[in-house]
Amino acid sequence: MADHPSIVILTGAGVSAESGIATFRGPGGLWEGHRVEDVCTPEALARDPALVHRFYDLRRAALDGVQPNAAHRALARLDAAWPGELLLVTQNVDDLHERAGSTRLLHMHGKLRSALCARCGARAAWAGALPPGTACAACEAVALRPDIVFFGEMPYGIDAIEAALARADLFVSIGTSGAVYPAAGFVRTARHHGAATLELNLDPSDGSIWFDESRMGPAGVLVPAWVDELLSRAQA
Ligand code: APR
């Protein structure tokens, strides 16, 4: 492996669980209260925009009450210290990685604190509620929607992610069930290109079989330990 291997990290809802943000597919998970097709599809947005906007308004408002945890902070420390290539791809739509200080970051499923114009594609930072019928400041169309990738829509940044996976020496997956593609397939792409693969998760996931190594436990414990291990090895 190169002096400073090129690293791609994928995070899912499990990295934010210890900050108090519900995951999707566990007891009390976000999908427990709603059917995906009712709040996270283009059809749902067309059928009942008020319900969809309200679902994301509630999740956006919940961000005010949570803080990055030790896992987010350790990943930001790695981002600042790592001299080699590093890309943190998150499936999460919260802003905890940014708030912890990560900069080499890509939100492949969108962001709660962003609004997207369905007409012109312009984005606007958004903090409060986003009522249906809000006009876009760029094109004035009444077409602002949550900047969230719905099921059936193309995730953001796939070309950049695939290119990073092709160059990766190390792929690390943190806090994801490996239930949703294309993210669930990244480990196989990384392996195909010769990367070493590591999973840090509370429980075995759908993708665990594809990893060279899987460490089970809370991200708040496993991620700082892994970052310390990586940085001390790089300085050796
Ligand atoms: N530390 C580490 N892992 C944890 C923790 C924790 N404290 N708590 C839960 N986990 C793990 C669970 O074991 C599970 O494997 O996090 C994973 C969460 O899985 P999901 O709830 O399915 O969330 P995620 O994998 O991010 O879902 C992927 O599905 O619904 C879509 O767009 C949504 O981005 C989401 C995507």
Side-chain angles (χ1 to χ4, degrees):
M1 199 180 291
D3 283 354
H4 295 109
S6 167
I7 306 174
V8 175
I9 300 167
L10 172 69
T11 59
V15 82
S16 295
E18 291 158 79
S19 293
I21 295 183
T23 59
F24 292 93
R25 296 171 184 83
L30 277 167
W31 293 146
E32 300 288 298
H34 295 275
R35 294 182 325 142
V36 165
E37 54 272 28
D38 292 342
V39 289
C40 192
T41 63
E43 296 75 16
L45 183 64
R47 182 175 59 244
D48 190 347
L51 172 69
V52 173
H53 280 245
R54 198 164 50 249
F55 177 68
Y56 290 99
D57 287 351
L58 289 172
R59 291 178 64 194
R60 189 177 309 110
L63 289 182
D64 297 335
V66 297
Q67 296 297 328
N69 63 54
H72 297 106
R73 292 195 298 272
L75 291 172
R77 184 157 52 86
L78 178 62
D79 183 277
W82 194 249
E85 259 197 87
L86 182 143
L87 177 63
L88 172 51
V89 180
T90 188
Q91 300 174 89
N92 300 338
V93 293
D94 64 56
D95 60 348
L96 296 179
H97 283 307
E98 298 80 332
R99 286 166 57 190
S102 286
T103 55
R104 295 184 270 183
L105 173 63
L106 194 159
H107 279 270
M108 65 179 289
H109 288 167
K111 299 179 188 177
L112 281 170
R113 285 194 163 149
S114 172
L116 171 70
C117 178
R119 171 73 59 79
C120 74
R123 285 186 170 81
W126 209 270
L130 175 62
T134 302
C136 167
C139 74
E140 296 175 1
V142 172
L144 281 190
R145 57 167 272 188
D147 186 10
I148 300 291
V149 177
F150 291 147
F151 284 91
E153 294 181 326
M154 191 62 187
Y156 296 145
I158 288 301
D159 292 345
I161 296 168
E162 296 285 353
L165 290 170
R167 295 193 302 272
D169 299 304
L170 176 59
F171 175 74
V172 184
S173 175
I174 304 170
T176 181
S177 60
V180 173
Y181 285 80
F186 290 169
V187 59
R188 269 168 275 174
T189 304
R191 288 180 70 89
H192 172 72
H193 291 291
T197 54
L198 169 66
E199 178 182 43
L200 306 177
N201 209 56
L202 191 63
D203 315 296
S205 70
D206 293 355
S208 291
I209 53 164
W210 298 103
F211 287 88
D212 299 320
E213 183 188 358
S214 281
R215 297 178 192 172
M216 298 290 114
V221 172
L222 294 185
V223 176
W226 168 66
V227 168
D228 289 344
E229 185 187 300
L230 189 71
L231 290 177
S232 54
R233 233 189 4 240
Q235 278 146 16

